[in-house]
Amino acid sequence: MRSLWAMFLILFCFAQKSKAQEIYSGRYKAVFATAPKKVPTSKTPDGPLAGNGDIGLTLGGSPDKLLFYLGKNDFWRAYPVYPGGGIALPGWLEVHISALKGANYYAEQIQDRALIAGKFTKDDLTVILNSWVSATTNTVIAEFTANKAFTMNLALNATEGNTSVNTKGINGDVIWVTRSFENTPLLEWPSHVAIALKVLGGKVEKDGTLNMKANQKLTLSVTMYTNCDKNDWKEKTIQEAQSTTQNSIAAIKKEHEGWWKDFWSRSNVQIGDSLIEKYYYASQYLFGSTSRGNKFAPGIWGPFITRDSSSWGGDYHLNYNYQAPYWAAYSSNYIDQTANFDQPLLDYMEKGKQHAQELLHIKGIYYPVGIGPKGLVTTRWPLTPDEMEKRYATKENTIDGGYKFLGQKINAVFSVGNMLMRFYSTYDTAYAQKVYPYMLECADFWEDYLKFENGRYVIYMDHYGEVMPNLKNKGKWRDQLGDFNSTLSVGLVKMLFKGIIDVSSFLKVDPERVDKWQHIVKHISDFTVGEVDGKLSLKEVEKSPSVRHSRISGLARVSIHGLILPGGVCGPKTDSAFNQILLSDVSRWKERMNAPGEWANTLGNGIETCFPAAVRVGYDSDEIIKQLKDRIALQSLPNLWITADGGGTETLAAVPLTINEMMMQSYEQVIRIFPNWNKAKDASFEQLRAYGAFLVSSRLKNGKIEYVKLVSEAGRPCSIDNPWLGKKVQLIRNGQKVEVLAGKTFTFDTKRGEQLELTII
């Protein structure tokens, strides 16, 4: 019987995956009618993109000079100051085709197959390009064919400068280059990368020239390894390139297509809106291209680096930029893509303890605003007083021990939000054990830092916004220090202690500390509200010397971080009265607009925060989607990357998380089906991941929810709001009707691997 049920589950999952793939079916792709204009760039490039979560390929240039920029998430100049430090560009491949000068440019970013396809035409010559980054190996492929003979010239380049050491050579039929950072002052660890090119289907002359025949297929295979991949990084790169054949390429292409087919089968949504679905799936593709769980975590620009010294060093910015790209991955069932998130935070713990002890004289961990991998700090102040004065209008380069904390104590605890999202989504014991020490250090810090006054815990000197010297304030920045009970701080600290109670209980550790943590949760300060035009509204900070943060300005991006994302301590289920205040604040966002696309003030930052938060508090879903479309139209790129002035990869969560929250919510362990969706509009979703480790599917058609299906991964109790309020519901376990449920919310036990279904009676 067990074997039959196991077979049923396999067939069920296969059917679900096949259906999801069929639904996606490659409808949505990015189309480029002109050559990229923002390649190279210090921010997000606008060219066609492909990646495997480690290597990123950005196509730049024009038809007569195609430029294949090769980024890698683990290639950093491990220097503590930017510009200069941060993620670095390994190099690029140039393909010169002089006969295509002035040619028509056409390219597609085909996302279901993770393929860049190009077609370049000049008079009677047409050159076809198919390029992809292997999902499973360190290989980039570019295939060329043409309808008539032409000449191509190749050049493989390693980026030079910024203290790097470069070498190049030819081993047989393999051309290779290397780039290294080593043996320079303040460099925390050496970085090396090798890039090797092998040409299949044609002979390269010594000057890089290739003579192509009509209808001949030419394959350029590029192999890349760093010293983070392999100790013998250079030898491995060259050897693997030498062993490349058309058969081996065919094999890795099959693996590549299988990987992406599985990726698209993890979950899907249908909402009957082609524009939003297009950006939903594009954002998932770009995140899948950017992050792999077993590789280095992506920074602000992911692996799509097209020059050295990218903005903010392309680092891990800890006051939201680093965390936000992952927020949609949990509910989208891309858990394995998030496994790289924690390692940089764990690697910095010893330094974080030193900062807390030396700078604040307390326990726990205290993190600056920006770090990198392997314990790297990226955000030291400029090392010389003169450079400090040039950039920040003060010679004082020893602020906070020379590190940029920018008046904020929340940089370490901010990341606990992601840890809790993954924990609640999986109830994975090994994962909980991995991150619990980090959470415990955060708890140690805040137990020490909080003050208990007049029956409540209060927070001094943790600032709502970044406070720092700059050219505008002429060094008078200290006048802005003094925030008391920032909504950001209060929310994230409450999140921490609620969460660590759950994790410690799950792991059955530190029971003697739970009373203290519960006391903090119960007695931490309330969020501050005031009155505007006769209506209650959120105040950013209870007290602040900053005029900007002293006024009552309502719910905004930074407050949302503490309250809703990643805080998760507010919402209709948590406190309906307070939620009405937040909902009222969201309703006033329209009043502050000067033009379409400016809703929620997200052009600088916050599209991934404000839109899903508006869903969570219950703002009208049709209006949210309208405003989201306007925002996309105002600021997005041809490769379907929605951009923000203040960052890059974090925007990839915006559309998926907004739609996922409309389809299903599960904060505070209660599943809600279509909680904020116009029931007159047909919609469906499959295998969205809910807290409690449930995979949930449902369909809304003709105004009625047809079913709710769940798979229980961890065998935990399931609480779910009645999707058919006021009606009795049939619970089906593994295909068998077992009990009738009634009421506003149901709670029932489940078993690991159990398939459940709810239908209206």
Side-chain angles (χ1 to χ4, degrees):
M1 190 66 182
R2 285 186 178 179
S3 61
L4 287 173
W5 174 238
M7 181 62 70
F8 174 79
L9 273 180
I10 292 170
L11 291 173
F12 171 78
C13 293
F14 178 77
Q16 291 288 91
K17 290 183 177 183
S18 298
K19 186 177 180 183
Q21 181 69 9
E22 182 181 346
I23 288 168
Y24 181 76
S25 69
R27 290 194 297 252
Y28 302 119
K29 59 188 178 184
V31 175
F32 305 79
T34 59
K37 298 178 177 60
K38 296 181 179 179
V39 181
T41 178
S42 63
K43 292 188 175 183
T44 304
D46 64 346
L49 304 174
N52 64 7
D54 176 33
I55 295 171
L57 168 63
T58 304
L59 182 62
S62 53
D64 61 313
K65 185 181 179 181
L66 295 170
L67 303 174
F68 296 79
Y69 287 91
L70 303 165
K72 207 162 184 302
N73 277 340
D74 62 1
F75 186 63
W76 290 62
R77 181 174 184 246
Y79 184 74
V81 182
Y82 55 72
I87 196 165
L89 173 65
W92 69 97
L93 172 66
E94 297 182 16
V95 178
H96 297 256
I97 306 173
S98 58
L100 289 178
K101 188 172 181 61
N104 292 328
Y105 186 101
Y106 181 83
E108 295 179 346
Q109 182 177 282
I110 303 173
Q111 290 152 178
D112 63 322
R113 292 186 288 148
L115 174 71
I116 297 172
K119 182 179 180 180
F120 314 110
T121 304
K122 172 74 178 296
D123 300 327
D124 58 348
L125 172 63
T126 297
V127 176
I128 302 296
L129 164 69
N130 285 304
S131 187
W132 44 281
V133 180
S134 167
T136 57
T137 68
N138 288 40
T139 309
V140 180
I141 299 295
E143 299 170 333
F144 288 88
T145 57
N147 64 332
K148 58 180 293 186
F150 71 96
T151 299
M152 172 189 294
N153 191 274
L154 303 177
L156 183 65
N157 303 282
T159 309
E160 297 182 352
N162 200 19
T163 75
S164 71
V165 176
N166 299 65
T167 65
K168 60 183 178 180
I170 299 175
N171 282 35
D173 55 358
V174 170
I175 302 167
W176 57 266
V177 296
T178 72
R179 189 181 193 201
S180 297
F181 296 106
E182 57 183 341
N183 302 324
T184 56
L186 295 180
L187 200 70
E188 295 209 15
W189 31 270
S191 295
H192 307 283
V193 65
I195 311 172
L197 169 67
K198 183 174 182 179
V199 178
L200 296 93
K203 183 180 179 182
V204 185
E205 303 297 334
K206 289 184 178 179
D207 62 356
T209 300
L210 264 162
N211 294 310
M212 290 282 294
K213 298 177 181 178
N215 302 314
Q216 176 186 357
K217 180 180 177 181
L218 177 75
T219 302
L220 308 181
S221 176
V222 177
T223 306
M224 291 179 68
Y225 280 98
T226 68
N227 59 315
C228 296
D229 293 316
K230 303 286 182 181
N231 290 331
D232 57 344
W233 50 277
K234 180 180 174 182
E235 293 78 8
K236 175 67 174 176
T237 302
I238 296 171
Q239 289 170 6
E240 194 165 300
Q242 287 174 327
S243 66
T244 301
T245 64
Q246 290 291 5
N247 286 339
S248 68
I249 291 173
I252 65 171
K253 186 173 185 180
K254 185 176 180 180
E255 292 178 359
H256 168 81
E257 292 173 346
W259 191 96
W260 280 99
K261 185 175 182 179
D262 176 71
F263 178 86
W264 291 119
S265 73
R266 305 289 179 83
S267 65
N268 77 88
V269 302
Q270 292 184 89
I271 61 171
D273 186 314
S274 59
L275 179 69
I276 295 298
E277 284 185 1
K278 181 176 186 176
Y279 280 88
Y280 181 98
Y281 287 113
S283 296
Q284 304 283 41
Y285 165 75
L286 292 169
F287 180 74
S289 300
T290 295
S291 180
R292 285 291 187 282
N294 61 344
K295 299 292 185 178
F296 276 43
I300 294 176
W301 316 112
F304 302 111
I305 301 299
T306 55
R307 51 169 283 189
D308 273 356
S309 294
S310 57
S311 295
W312 299 284
D315 72 356
Y316 305 151
H317 237 59
L318 298 182
N319 56 359
Y320 109 92
N321 305 79
Y322 179 58
Q323 297 87 351
Y326 296 88
W327 289 346
Y330 304 105
S331 57
S332 296
N333 196 25
Y334 295 132
I335 294 297
D336 52 341
Q337 305 303 111
T338 71
N340 54 20
F341 173 79
D342 311 290
Q343 198 58 52
L345 302 160
L346 301 179
D347 288 345
Y348 201 80
M349 283 178 64
E350 287 306 313
K351 288 184 179 178
K353 289 179 187 179
Q354 292 176 16
H355 297 327
Q357 293 165 2
E358 294 172 3
L359 301 177
L360 300 177
H361 312 295
I362 63 175
K363 297 182 298 182
I365 51 176
Y366 178 37
Y367 281 22
V369 69
I371 65 172
K374 300 174 66 173
L376 173 68
V377 62
T378 58
T379 44
R380 292 277 300 273
W381 292 107
L383 301 175
T384 67
D386 288 345
E387 180 65 18
M388 187 77 186
E389 184 174 42
K390 177 182 176 182
R391 293 173 56 192
Y392 296 103
T394 177
K395 287 183 177 292
E396 187 182 2
N397 65 340
T398 57
I399 301 165
D400 291 332
Y403 296 86
K404 293 180 183 175
F405 292 91
L406 308 187
Q408 296 185 319
K409 309 297 188 300
I410 48 80
N411 290 316
V413 74
F414 210 120
S415 293
V416 172
N418 288 48
M419 295 173 180
L420 289 173
M421 288 181 191
R422 181 172 173 183
F423 168 71
Y424 290 134
S425 298
T426 62
Y427 281 87
D428 180 335
T429 300
Y431 179 73
Q433 291 170 336
K434 176 182 178 181
V435 299
Y436 183 73
Y438 182 93
M439 296 176 64
L440 198 60
E441 292 292 343
C442 288
D444 286 344
F445 178 94
W446 284 100
E447 282 186 52
D448 254 13
Y449 192 78
L450 288 169
K451 304 297 182 186
F452 191 65
E453 297 177 352
N454 301 317
R456 64 172 183 159
Y457 290 94
V458 299
I459 301 175
Y460 289 91
M461 294 292 286
D462 188 16
H463 293 83
Y464 183 87
E466 298 175 348
V467 183
M468 59 185 288
N470 57 53
L471 297 177
K472 291 182 180 180
N473 62 36
K474 305 293 184 183
K476 297 180 179 179
W477 58 282
R478 284 189 173 85
D479 295 344
Q480 301 301 303
L481 292 171
D483 280 4
F484 175 76
N485 278 348
S486 155
T487 52
L488 173 65
S489 313
V490 172
L492 290 178
V493 172
K494 187 172 184 178
M495 170 201 76
L496 166 67
F497 286 105
K498 287 182 69 175
I500 199 168
I501 290 169
D502 291 339
V503 178
S504 66
S505 174
F506 176 75
L507 294 175
K508 298 181 174 59
V509 294
D510 296 321
E512 72 282 357
R513 300 189 64 174
V514 171
D515 285 347
K516 172 68 172 181
W517 297 339
Q518 288 175 334
H519 193 265
I520 292 172
V521 171
K522 184 177 181 180
H523 295 282
I524 197 164
S525 296
D526 292 332
F527 301 113
T528 307
V529 297
E531 193 171 296
V532 176
D533 299 329
K535 293 183 179 180
L536 290 177
S537 180
L538 187 69
K539 191 177 181 184
E540 296 173 349
V541 180
E542 186 173 331
K543 290 186 294 185
S544 175
S546 165
V547 174
R548 174 185 172 188
H549 298 313
S550 294
R551 62 177 182 255
I552 302 168
S553 56
L555 184 68
R557 173 180 64 90
V558 177
S559 295
I560 288 168
H561 290 153
L563 276 62
I564 301 169
L565 287 167
V569 296
C570 295
K573 280 285 177 185
T574 311
D575 184 339
S576 59
F578 182 65
N579 189 77
Q580 283 300 120
I581 297 172
L582 304 183
L583 181 57
S584 177
D585 282 344
V586 172
S587 70
R588 285 196 287 271
W589 287 353
K590 288 180 70 173
E591 299 171 6
R592 302 170 185 172
M593 292 172 57
N594 295 313
E598 295 182 357
W599 191 70
N601 190 31
T602 65
L603 296 179
N605 301 96
I607 183 175
E608 71 299 314
T609 304
C610 293
F611 281 87
V615 176
R616 177 75 64 85
V617 301
Y619 192 67
D620 181 75
S621 60
D622 287 343
E623 183 64 24
I624 293 171
I625 287 178
K626 175 186 178 300
Q627 297 294 346
L628 184 56
K629 288 180 177 179
D630 287 345
R631 171 63 177 81
I632 291 169
L634 188 61
Q635 198 166 285
S636 61
L637 298 175
N639 53 30
L640 307 182
W641 197 309
I642 305 167
T643 57
D645 294 339
T649 53
E650 68 264 28
T651 66
L652 302 182
V655 178
L657 188 57
T658 297
I659 300 305
N660 289 357
E661 287 279 314
M662 289 179 174
M663 300 291 101
M664 183 203 70
Q665 296 172 14
S666 61
Y667 74 95
E668 297 208 334
Q669 311 294 326
V670 178
I671 297 172
R672 292 164 285 279
I673 305 299
F674 297 109
N676 189 354
W677 183 255
N678 183 343
K679 300 300 193 294
K681 294 183 176 181
D682 291 354
S684 68
F685 61 91
E686 292 183 346
Q687 299 187 137
L688 293 185
R689 180 174 286 272
Y691 284 6
F694 297 99
L695 298 181
V696 186
S697 304
S698 186
R699 181 165 65 224
L700 174 68
K701 191 170 184 180
N702 298 326
K704 296 180 180 179
I705 297 174
E706 294 186 336
Y707 60 82
V708 178
K709 296 179 181 179
L710 304 98
V711 175
S712 175
E713 285 193 343
R716 294 188 60 80
C718 179
S719 291
I720 181 169
D721 278 355
N722 189 342
W724 303 276
L725 190 60
K727 304 293 185 180
K728 292 184 178 180
V729 175
Q730 178 69 61
L731 174 62
I732 302 169
R733 295 180 184 270
N734 300 332
Q736 300 295 317
K737 294 180 180 180
V738 291
E739 59 186 294
V740 174
L741 307 172
K744 186 177 179 181
T745 302
F746 317 134
T747 299
F748 48 87
D749 291 333
T750 73
K751 295 180 180 179
R752 189 181 298 270
E754 190 172 29
Q755 181 192 347
L756 306 114
E757 185 171 356
L758 301 174
T759 60
I760 189 171
I761 295 178

